[in-house]
Amino acid sequence: MSLEPTNTEAIRVITRFEASHGIPEAMRADVRMLGGLLGQVLRESGTPGLFDDVERLRIATIQAAETESDEAFERATAIAESFTLERADEVARAFTCYFHLVNLAEEHQRVRVLRERAGQPGREDAADTVATAFAQLRREVGDDEARRRLAELRFHPVFTAHPTEARRRAVSSSIRRLSELLTQHDAASPGGAEERRAVRRMLEEVDTLWRTAPLRAQKPSPTDEVRTVMSVFDETLFTTVPHVYRRIDDALRGEASGHDAPVVPAFVRVGSWVGGDRDGNPFVTASVTREAAEIAADHVLRGIERATERIGRTLTLDAADTPPSADVTAIWRRFETAQPDLAAEIAKRSPDEPHRRAMLSLGHRVHATRTGGGDGYGAPQELLDDLRALQRSLIDAGARRHAFGGVQHLIWQVETYGFHLTELEVRQHSKVHAQALAELESGAALSEQTEEVLEVFRAIADIQKRHGLRAAGRYVVSFTQSAADLAAVHRLAGHALGADAPVLDVVPLFETFADLQAAPAILAEAVRFPEFRARMAATDNRLEVMLGYSDSSKDVGPVAANLALYEAQREIAQWAKASSIRLTLFHGRGGALGRGGGPANSAILAQPPHSVDGRFKLTEQGEVIFARYGEPAIAMRHIDQVAAATLLASSPTVEQRISGAAERFSSIATTMDAASRERFFSLVGADGFAPWFATVTPLEEIGLLALGSRPARRGLSVESLEDLRAIPWVFAWTQARINLAGWFGLGSALEAVGDEQALREAYREWPLLRTMIDNVAMSLAKTDERIARRYLALGDRDDLAAIVLEELRLTREWVVRLTGGEGLLENKPILQRAVQLRTPYVDALSLLQLRALRGLRSDAAQQADDPELRRLLLLSVSGVAAGLQNTG
């Protein structure tokens, strides 16, 4: 990977480094080109000598990584320390730009591979697609049962505004434009005018990236966060999801796809907490929630309107060959009556083209729905009825390709997104509800907080009236610790609106270790409440339960948390099955491995029997949203993979393997649980741990980054971890290159078991353990002990540092022994390459961050407000996040 070095020694070092990691030639060419453009920009736009200083530090960190020499590492450290603060600032910015370009090249390579597979018959039929999952189900349960399960398939990602996206939106937009230019460059003839034009425009865009301030000047508002998420829908998801359905239908039905009715349902539903999640965020108010719903509705209605007009323009089917049905004629007559002038204009442009006229009239009605016109639709079902009437007319007239082509795509879009786009969910802490009820039922004057709680229910009711029940109906209760916490929501809704209270699906969120254990009993009591019984009766006995990965991991450590989550899911699923309840488990998985992240499809196939049953819902946040859904080809592949795992998770073979392994290795789980918790508490329970943690990581400074509207912690003190949110807990350890939240305690857990042969067998046959160890391997691969030691040295607690380093050694040793080979990720070579290629460059930024952190820690009273040191630290935080590709 190159910034186009001119020094012969630099070229030799970089070439050897690239070759040793087997980077694909096409990707190498992309990185060299983009890196060369960045080098040109640094020479043209940076201060004198910047390019040479960047090269010096880069070559030094590569040599330190290659040789693992302390002398080489000290040489790299000395270079980082030698820069003036102004120069260090520029160097940090340069490495951050470089990471953005490398990440872009890697994404482009993934897209290139996906497109190559799609162009080769049989290559696209990978083992983890819905088509192959359906084929396996048919073999195991028969055709009718497999079709029933396919018809009920549901994948429900929920986008959150958790502040883990370190990039500014302006930076993301620049990278997206570069991605489009890379695609144009690939398509251009080598050496031709189009290729030169693409390179010239890329150089201009790289210059823009360099000159764009990498740090936000101020925190985004909740409405800003809503609009940021909307960009994913506008640019990718709205058009991509129906293509996912089509690709699956193509694979399942072959040539019949597009000619006959599809067998693939609109199985994606997209939720959002952006503008609805007020737990710990005082800036999310009832008015923000209303505005979030309006923004989302405006975006989807614009999309449907454009799609309707586009399809309408193609339906130039003459009435003589393709006569309309009575229903289509009636659609047109109603429009003529309601909008005679518009109807006359459409008729003039569409002579003897009845289906075109009808479709264009639907577009005008969608426009009226968006703008509040009198002829708008009252609900998406009305539009679906018209579209299906038009589809039937085309079928009856013999135009089946039109009926099951563009018209079907539009039907899929409306089924998926309705008129609301995202199913907006409200979340609030149980303590806030308790305080509000206490005020309401004591007769005392209501506080501002309680008035706001009541106004939220009024906002939900208004959204439901305007956009339908799907637009806003779920109410998530954080830190649910009793059935009374759930009943409180209905009582508050009654206080707010009486008999006009909105329809609510109240969703408990079990987060701590103790709450997970208490969950089955709490649920058994809650479903006896009249409000729960009535809602479940209206929804075919459906119930949704959310599980929190973040706080449980911070509570007892990642190993015990994973085991507790599995056990809670198993017990809840068994209770639901015995009670004939159709359960949906909602997984609060973060993007980072310390927050339950990792490959979603692997996690799904490790869930307890009956806990998935064809329905998978999870949170997606920050950088994960853009990584998984920001590029159409990658989004299609991700959705297909997750849907396939969701469909396959309830197959007899998978369920038997999971339940059998859990029973066979239960003693191992018991031993691991106890040992990991004991080790975790020996660290976090030590006197002074919380302030020490804040000293040896950039925890305090992370709170200054304008990542999101939500405060970094619930209180002001770092004397206790209880008030610290899970995101900064993970983010801070990640920045210190320790990643403790993702692995700590696993080494002690495996050592307590001790039987390597039994553990190897468990790793092979127990999906839960395999997923856990593979995720820890990734977390460890992004850990750097040499740099971690320097962070730990910032705190005057050799005892705590020793615990961390010893557990790191033990965990790495056991993970390598169980996964095979001599190093981490040797069983996942592509992932290993991606991590190893970035390591020296992340090291460079870490050295700059350490320099800034030492300065800020050296004399807190005098240095705390040093703006240059603080800016350097924040720049390095942004760069390390880009390099490691995960934050919190």
Side-chain angles (χ1 to χ4, degrees), residues 808-842:
L808 174 61
R809 180 200 64 76
L810 189 63
T811 304
R812 181 185 289 120
E813 177 185 309
W814 270 104
V815 168
V816 171
R817 285 162 70 181
L818 296 184
T819 58
E822 298 181 359
L824 294 165
L825 298 178
E826 289 194 5
N827 60 334
K828 297 181 182 297
I830 295 176
L831 201 53
Q832 183 187 55
R833 181 191 72 211
V835 173
Q836 290 177 344
L837 283 170
R838 285 173 170 79
T839 294
Y841 305 94
V842 180

Side-chain angles (χ1 to χ4, degrees), residues 73 137 148 250 341 355 357 421 434 459 516 524 575 587 603 649 670 678 695 776 778 827 840:
F73 187 72
L137 268 184
R148 184 192 67 79
D250 287 344
D341 293 340
H355 291 95
R357 290 182 182 184
L421 187 60
L516 287 168
W575 164 79
H587 302 265
T670 300
E678 181 180 356
T695 301
V776 166
M778 166 63 98
N827 60 334

Side-chain angles (χ1 to χ4, degrees), residues 385-623:
D385 290 343
D386 282 351
L387 287 171
R388 291 192 175 111
L390 195 141
Q391 186 179 57
R392 287 193 300 271
S393 178
L394 290 167
I395 294 167
D396 293 343
R400 300 178 68 86
R401 294 290 178 190
H402 292 279
F404 297 120
V407 175
Q408 180 60 49
H409 273 238
L410 182 53
I411 288 173
W412 274 329
Q413 286 172 314
V414 179
E415 288 177 329
T416 300
Y417 299 118
F419 288 171
H420 54 275
L421 187 60
T422 61
E423 300 183 9
L424 186 62
E425 301 187 1
V426 167
R427 183 173 73 135
Q428 184 55 281
H429 200 290
S430 58
K431 287 183 179 178
V432 174
H433 296 151
Q435 291 167 3
L437 277 175
E439 288 184 19
L440 286 161
E441 295 174 358
S442 69
L446 299 185
S447 65
E448 185 178 337
Q449 176 178 277
T450 296
E451 291 283 10
E452 174 62 27
V453 168
L454 297 178
E455 188 60 27
V456 170
F457 292 100
R458 300 179 189 117
I460 295 171
D462 290 344
I463 293 168
Q464 289 184 354
K465 289 173 186 174
R466 179 161 169 75
H467 303 295
L469 292 182
R470 280 178 57 193
R474 291 183 180 84
Y475 197 110
V476 181
V477 181
S478 297
F479 283 88
T480 296
Q481 297 183 317
S482 69
D485 290 337
L486 305 177
V489 176
H490 292 293
R491 288 165 63 190
L492 287 166
H495 279 290
L497 288 163
D500 295 324
V503 176
L504 293 173
D505 290 305
V506 179
V507 180
L509 168 50
F510 300 109
E511 301 182 72
T512 68
F513 183 71
D515 294 343
L516 287 168
Q517 291 181 312
I522 292 172
L523 292 171
E525 181 181 352
V527 296
R528 292 197 292 268
F529 296 154
E531 297 88 352
F532 268 81
R533 287 205 308 269
R535 184 60 184 150
M536 291 170 68
T539 59
D540 196 18
N541 224 29
R542 294 178 186 273
L543 178 68
E544 189 170 304
V545 177
M546 187 173 182
L547 304 171
Y549 286 65
S550 310
D551 285 279
S552 57
S553 182
K554 184 166 68 72
D555 195 25
V556 294
V559 177
N562 270 283
L563 294 171
L565 282 158
Y566 180 91
E567 188 60 23
Q569 290 176 72
R570 187 186 67 80
E571 291 189 8
I572 292 169
Q574 287 182 348
W575 164 79
K577 189 173 187 294
S579 306
S580 300
I581 290 171
R582 304 188 67 185
L583 175 71
T584 295
L585 286 175
F586 179 11
H587 302 265
R589 301 173 65 86
L593 298 167
R595 304 192 67 238
N601 51 322
S602 299
I604 294 167
L605 291 172
Q607 302 306 306
H610 309 298
S611 64
V612 178
D613 277 348
R615 298 176 293 279
F616 189 69
K617 184 177 180 182
L618 81 166
T619 51
E620 302 275 36
Q621 65 190 44
E623 74 282 354

Side-chain angles (χ1 to χ4, degrees), residues 219-283:
K219 284 180 175 286
S221 70
T223 305
D224 292 332
E225 292 169 334
V226 172
R227 296 190 186 281
T228 296
V229 169
M230 286 301 106
S231 68
V232 178
F233 290 101
D234 292 344
E235 297 168 13
T236 305
L237 278 183
F238 183 73
T239 55
T240 295
V241 167
H243 286 295
V244 174
Y245 302 152
R246 176 63 67 195
R247 185 167 74 173
I248 296 170
D249 205 59
D250 287 344
L252 290 175
R253 312 197 66 239
E255 293 183 1
S257 180
H259 184 267
D260 296 331
V263 297
V264 178
F267 61 78
V268 175
R269 295 291 182 272
V270 181
S272 177
W273 282 7
V274 189
D277 181 9
R278 59 241 315 124
D279 177 15
N281 191 343
F283 306 111

Side-chain angles (χ1 to χ4, degrees), residues 79-96:
I79 292 172
E81 296 285 346
S82 71
F83 297 143
T84 64
L85 284 176
E86 293 83 359
R87 174 64 88 212
D89 182 303
E90 284 189 297
V91 171
R93 286 173 55 206
F95 274 98
T96 301

Side-chain angles (χ1 to χ4, degrees), residues 653-866:
T653 300
V654 171
E655 289 196 337
Q656 288 166 13
R657 182 174 74 245
I658 290 171
S659 60
E663 183 177 347
R664 193 159 65 255
F665 301 115
S666 60
S667 61
I668 289 179
T670 300
T671 301
M672 289 179 64
D673 175 63
S676 68
R677 277 189 286 117
E678 181 180 356
R679 186 60 163 167
F680 186 73
F681 293 142
S682 74
L683 178 67
V684 302
D687 288 342
F689 170 79
W692 174 78
F693 164 56
T695 301
V696 301
T697 69
L699 173 67
E700 290 290 341
E701 292 75 14
I702 286 169
L704 300 174
L705 273 174
L707 292 182
S709 64
R710 172 192 291 248
R713 53 180 176 268
R714 293 183 173 93
L716 298 176
S717 172
V718 290
E719 294 302 314
S720 169
L721 292 183
E722 291 181 4
D723 288 329
L724 180 67
R725 290 193 170 279
I727 288 170
W729 164 257
V730 175
F731 201 164
W733 286 121
T734 302
Q735 286 290 318
R737 306 292 297 285
I738 299 171
N739 289 325
L740 180 143
W743 56 263
F744 191 89
L746 180 62
S748 292
L750 298 173
E751 181 77 9
V753 176
D755 187 335
E756 184 172 343
Q757 183 176 347
L759 286 169
R760 283 181 179 275
E761 182 184 355
Y763 177 71
R764 284 194 311 270
E765 299 181 14
W766 185 16
L768 177 65
L769 183 66
R770 186 177 190 90
T771 300
M772 187 190 306
I773 289 177
D774 286 349
N775 284 344
V776 166
M778 166 63 98
S779 189
L780 290 173
K782 293 184 177 183
T783 299
D784 189 292
E785 185 174 344
R786 289 184 301 189
I787 289 176
R789 285 179 179 276
R790 301 202 171 202
Y791 279 93
L792 294 173
L794 295 171
D796 189 22
R797 291 292 301 271
D798 291 346
D799 57 331
L800 298 182
I803 292 174
V804 173
L805 293 170
E806 172 58 23
E807 187 64 22
L808 174 61
R809 180 200 64 76
L810 189 63
T811 304
R812 181 185 289 120
E813 177 185 309
W814 270 104
V815 168
V816 171
R817 285 162 70 181
L818 296 184
T819 58
E822 298 181 359
L824 294 165
L825 298 178
E826 289 194 5
N827 60 334
K828 297 181 182 297
I830 295 176
L831 201 53
Q832 183 187 55
R833 181 191 72 211
V835 173
Q836 290 177 344
L837 283 170
R838 285 173 170 79
T839 294
Y841 305 94
V842 180
D843 290 351
L845 284 161
S846 291
L847 292 175
L848 293 172
Q849 184 179 116
L850 269 165
R851 174 186 172 177
L853 202 56
R854 272 197 298 268
L856 291 168
R857 298 285 188 270
S858 61
D859 188 341
Q862 296 180 18
Q863 302 284 354
D865 295 323
D866 187 317

